[in-house]
Amino acid sequence: MFKKAKENKCLISVNVLRHLSGFLFLFFFMSTVTARENANYPNDTLAIIGGKIISVSDFIQSYKDRLLRLGLTDNGDTRVKYLMNLVDDEILISKAKKTGSDKTKAAQTEYKRIRMQELLNAFSSKHIEPGITITEKDIRDLYIKMNTKIKARHLYAPSKEKADSLYSELMSGKTFEELAKGVFQDPKLRDNGGELGYISFDEMDPDFEKTGYLMRIGEISKPVKTVEGYSIIKVEDIKQNPFNTENEVAKAHDRLKTLAKKRAYEEAAKQYTRSQRELLKLKFNKPLVTKLFNSIQNDTLLVIPEKTFPSLKNDLSKIVVSTRPGKWDLNSLITEMSITTPQQRKWIRTEENLEDYIAGLVIRKHTVQKTIQENLDNSPLFKKNVDFNFGTYLMNQEENKLKESIKISPDSIRIYYEENKDRFRTEPEIRLSSILVDNDRLAGSIKNSLENGARFDLLAKQFSIQLLTGENGGDMGFFRKSELGELGERTFNLKTDEWIGPVMQEGKYVFLKCTEIKELRNKTLSEVSKDIEQTLTTINWFKVRKNYTESLKKEIHVRLFPEKLNTLNIFTKID
């Protein structure tokens, strides 16, 4: 299964300067030379750090990406700061190479994994991405989805068999509350019937989210396969922003299109892996899979090729999976498993997970072989991406050493809280119900009915064209003023049970009623201590990182040509 590689985020997003490019399959998934002052460099050189050159083209490509991701405006100050951050990144990478961090066993294993990932990326760029098209409807639908929250509960099962059994019990009359007690180890989920609260876009497993957002209030899904296992979902409420206008979509159009492409790619990649699994005709040695799974559960180090599980030492030559191209013995499988991340290996929680994981490794190797046959690994872009991502890994290793030195005391947290109490106030919230119609005469009739004492919830059920909220009496849940756009001021002047309308919104008419108000309050120290610790860590982190890179300039030669930034032609709009 492919998955977009997530950015390696620091504590504040502005410091995200290097990111892993390309796409991940879920289961596949330079010696420094001191530069001479009088050396001749290419005309497009912006900076030299040791033997590393940052060129104009390199800068523009990553800078444009940063502007788009963070929604920043291009100006001279932003350009200079970004270049300086890139220089600091390269200083850390150069330091890692000087100390031999790139030669360690762990680093070499990571290099192999990165190279394999870039082979998969090259394949996807040629064979998967060209088939993806995004329409204006896709963009509008995504915007609406991003402005919709669903209140859901679920039941978890590690296997399809257990999930089907739970579903049968639900259909026979048992409740989520009853079944959750025997399903969850987490005491909160066990006691609240698996209630997850309100879920926003991009917060849950993609298949969980896809199913949940297609459901109606009160509906119960059949078992949905997720990364964790299986979930049976019940949607209890849907909260939609009634002010999803074409103007708002237009403002965020480019970013929405980028996200829509990412989502479409992930779905296309899933389809590819499903088709490859069928094509390769995998057959598992079930007893050996069971034995391997049990060994994995008992081994905290998971998989290390040189230290295979003691219980499997006599099974290394046995066939664990047969495929159309050939057979894999256990030793070959363990070697392939080593070229995955610990996070991917920790995903193995059931035997079914393990079979999916092995299938992913088989598909990965098959795809990599095709990529090499097509000679895609000899392109300059491929080699550049491998070097970039390995550099990112080395930088992260240096950063992790620095982060370990940062300690935040309880007194520091308490003092920050006392000095910044105003920052830890909850925003007032208002609970709204709505009636949305697209006919001015009907809007006038509804207004007359409300003025004559008609019930708002009954009119919503009868007339609102927002069927999901209409079925629930128009209830949309709680909103902060900032979420209500131009109507924020008017709605927050309402008292409980007061209403306004009709308000015209792009050819439609909306009535809004306040049903509940949550007043402003101060959060307690215990509620915000983790957030304060994160904030103080972030503040200290930038100081520590900057001081460290400045100190390294005494041993790593750095030369800058910032005047060239003024003449660069930066286009921030990216298709």
Side-chain angles (χ1 to χ4, degrees):
M1 182 185 298
F2 292 92
K3 188 176 183 181
K4 267 282 192 181
K6 292 186 177 179
E7 296 167 5
N8 178 34
K9 295 185 178 177
C10 295
L11 296 171
I12 291 181
S13 59
V14 173
N15 199 39
V16 184
L17 303 171
R18 299 177 65 88
H19 60 93
L20 297 177
S21 61
F23 302 96
L24 285 174
F25 282 84
L26 181 57
F27 311 124
F28 302 3
F29 314 129
M30 72 188 82
S31 295
T32 303
V33 179
T34 302
R36 300 189 310 275
E37 285 292 337
N38 60 349
N40 294 320
Y41 302 107
N43 290 332
D44 68 343
T45 298
L46 282 176
I48 306 121
I49 307 93
K52 171 70 176 182
I53 292 176
I54 299 177
S55 68
V56 167
S57 58
D58 291 337
F59 177 87
I60 290 177
Q61 182 178 358
S62 59
Y63 180 67
K64 287 198 299 185
D65 178 65
R66 183 203 186 204
L67 293 180
L68 180 62
R69 284 185 289 109
L70 303 181
L72 300 178
T73 301
D74 173 40
N75 57 53
D77 185 56
T78 303
R79 293 184 184 189
V80 171
K81 287 180 179 178
Y82 185 64
L83 176 60
M84 296 309 298
N85 284 327
L86 288 178
V87 168
D88 286 348
D89 290 349
E90 294 297 341
I91 288 173
L92 291 176
I93 294 169
S94 182
K95 177 63 175 178
K97 291 180 178 180
K98 275 197 167 188
T99 56
S101 295
D102 58 331
K103 300 294 192 300
T104 66
K105 194 173 201 176
Q108 290 304 303
T109 297
E110 180 64 12
Y111 181 84
K112 290 178 183 178
R113 190 198 66 77
I114 289 170
R115 190 176 187 281
M116 185 170 287
Q117 183 60 59
E118 285 304 321
L119 287 167
L120 300 175
N121 295 347
F123 180 88
S124 74
S125 295
K126 181 176 180 180
H127 297 287
I128 297 180
E129 292 178 50
I132 297 171
T133 56
I134 301 298
T135 67
E136 290 303 311
K137 182 179 183 302
D138 294 330
I139 293 172
R140 286 194 299 271
D141 289 347
L142 179 62
Y143 182 82
I144 291 172
K145 192 174 184 180
M146 292 174 68
N147 285 273
T148 300
K149 296 181 179 180
I150 61 173
K151 185 179 181 182
R153 64 175 71 239
H154 83 127
L155 294 174
Y156 166 78
S159 66
K160 182 69 162 60
E161 182 181 4
K162 179 61 177 175
D164 288 338
S165 176
L166 286 171
Y167 184 75
S168 296
E169 291 186 81
L170 280 172
M171 296 300 101
S172 298
K174 287 194 175 182
T175 66
F176 274 75
E177 289 78 5
E178 291 173 321
L179 293 173
K181 296 185 184 301
V183 166
F184 293 108
Q185 294 182 357
D186 183 286
K188 184 176 180 180
L189 291 172
R190 185 174 62 231
D191 295 339
N192 70 7
E195 183 178 321
L196 299 170
Y198 281 95
I199 300 167
S200 298
F201 173 81
D202 217 21
E203 286 186 347
M204 299 297 290
D205 176 276
D207 292 305
F208 187 109
E209 177 191 283
K210 183 179 179 180
T211 300
Y213 272 83
L214 291 173
M215 294 169 64
R216 304 171 75 86
I217 295 174
E219 187 177 354
I220 297 174
S221 75
K222 291 183 177 180
V224 178
K225 188 172 184 179
T226 69
V227 171
E228 301 290 334
Y230 290 85
S231 283
I232 300 169
I233 307 165
K234 181 180 180 182
V235 172
E236 299 192 322
D237 191 21
I238 298 175
K239 175 180 171 181
Q240 289 182 315
N241 186 340
F243 311 111
N244 296 326
T245 65
E246 291 296 327
N247 286 338
E248 295 301 317
V249 175
K251 289 178 185 177
H253 188 276
D254 288 350
R255 300 184 76 179
L256 288 169
K257 186 175 182 180
T258 299
L259 182 55
K261 282 183 177 180
K262 173 182 177 292
R263 286 290 182 109
Y265 171 82
E266 290 170 351
E267 187 57 37
K270 286 180 184 178
Q271 293 296 331
Y272 169 80
T273 55
R274 292 188 191 109
S275 67
Q276 289 298 297
R277 186 165 180 171
E278 291 181 9
L279 179 68
L280 294 173
K281 299 188 181 300
L282 278 66
K283 293 182 180 179
F284 293 96
N285 180 339
K286 296 285 187 179
L288 189 52
V289 169
T290 299
K291 195 171 182 180
L292 175 60
F293 174 74
N294 292 334
S295 296
I296 290 173
Q297 300 308 296
N298 296 328
D299 194 295
T300 56
L301 295 176
L302 289 178
V303 179
I304 301 177
E306 294 77 12
K307 181 191 171 185
T308 52
F309 311 109
S311 60
L312 297 172
K313 64 181 180 180
N314 295 324
D315 299 308
L316 296 179
S317 61
K318 293 182 179 178
I319 302 302
V320 66
V321 59
S322 299
T323 72
R324 192 173 181 179
K327 299 178 179 181
W328 285 37
D329 61 29
L330 186 57
N331 190 56
S332 299
L333 174 61
I334 290 174
T335 300
E336 290 294 323
M337 291 174 76
S338 72
I339 315 175
T340 57
T341 65
Q343 291 76 15
Q344 290 168 335
R345 296 194 291 270
K346 287 179 181 177
W347 173 80
I348 303 169
R349 295 185 175 90
T350 68
E351 289 186 37
E352 186 174 342
N353 288 161
L354 179 55
E355 288 190 2
D356 288 341
Y357 177 89
I358 295 171
L361 294 177
V362 172
I363 294 168
R364 180 180 75 171
K365 188 162 188 176
H366 181 68
T367 304
V368 163
Q369 288 172 343
K370 290 196 290 185
T371 306
I372 293 173
Q373 288 171 1
E374 295 178 20
N375 211 31
L376 299 181
D377 58 326
N378 285 326
S379 73
L381 179 60
F382 170 82
K383 295 174 181 177
K384 182 178 179 180
N385 287 340
V386 171
D387 288 343
F388 177 86
N389 288 325
F390 187 54
T392 300
Y393 165 79
L394 294 175
M395 181 188 73
N396 291 340
Q397 297 303 107
E398 291 297 304
E399 288 182 333
N400 289 337
K401 296 175 187 176
L402 294 176
K403 288 175 183 176
E404 290 174 0
S405 68
I406 301 174
K407 307 294 181 185
I408 307 299
S409 69
D411 283 345
S412 298
I413 294 173
R414 179 183 53 77
I415 292 170
Y416 188 89
Y417 174 75
E418 293 295 336
E419 293 178 349
N420 298 275
K421 279 189 174 180
D422 289 350
R423 298 186 183 185
F424 304 114
R425 291 177 177 172
T426 61
E427 287 187 54
E429 292 184 313
I430 184 173
R431 188 166 192 165
L432 295 174
S433 291
S434 72
I435 303 171
L436 185 69
V437 296
D438 55 8
N439 182 296
D440 60 340
R441 291 186 179 181
L442 179 56
S445 176
I446 291 173
K447 181 179 181 181
N448 290 334
S449 297
L450 289 171
E451 289 174 340
N452 290 321
R455 285 176 53 180
F456 195 98
D457 59 335
L458 295 180
L459 292 174
K461 288 181 179 180
Q462 184 175 0
F463 296 112
S464 183
I465 61 175
Q466 284 185 309
L467 300 181
L468 294 175
T469 55
E471 289 176 357
N472 206 31
D475 181 47
M476 300 188 298
F478 285 95
F479 291 87
R480 296 186 294 273
K481 183 185 289 188
S482 59
E483 295 177 309
L484 296 172
E486 60 190 30
L487 288 176
E489 197 66 40
R490 290 184 65 184
T491 52
F492 267 73
N493 285 331
L494 293 173
K495 297 178 181 178
T496 302
D497 292 330
E498 289 185 343
W499 57 272
I500 57 172
V503 178
M504 191 169 183
Q505 289 279 320
E506 295 193 357
K508 298 182 176 60
Y509 304 85
V510 64
F511 295 83
L512 296 170
K513 179 182 178 180
C514 170
T515 59
E516 189 179 344
I517 295 173
K518 286 184 180 179
E519 302 291 350
L520 176 149
R521 74 173 181 86
N522 286 327
K523 294 182 179 179
T524 65
L525 176 58
S526 61
E527 287 180 288
V528 299
S529 61
K530 291 293 184 184
D531 292 335
I532 294 175
E533 183 178 9
Q534 183 78 5
T535 298
L536 293 176
T537 300
T538 297
I539 293 170
N540 280 277
W541 159 243
F542 284 113
K543 291 179 181 177
V544 169
R545 189 182 196 269
K546 191 63 181 175
N547 289 340
Y548 183 62
T549 55
E550 285 298 319
S551 71
L552 291 177
K553 289 179 182 177
K554 297 175 182 178
E555 59 181 274
I556 299 171
H557 178 84
V558 176
R559 188 175 180 188
L560 304 176
F561 304 90
E563 68 279 1
K564 296 182 181 180
L565 293 173
N566 299 326
T567 59
L568 299 187
N569 189 9
I570 303 290
F571 297 97
T572 58
K573 184 174 180 180
I574 301 174
D575 291 330

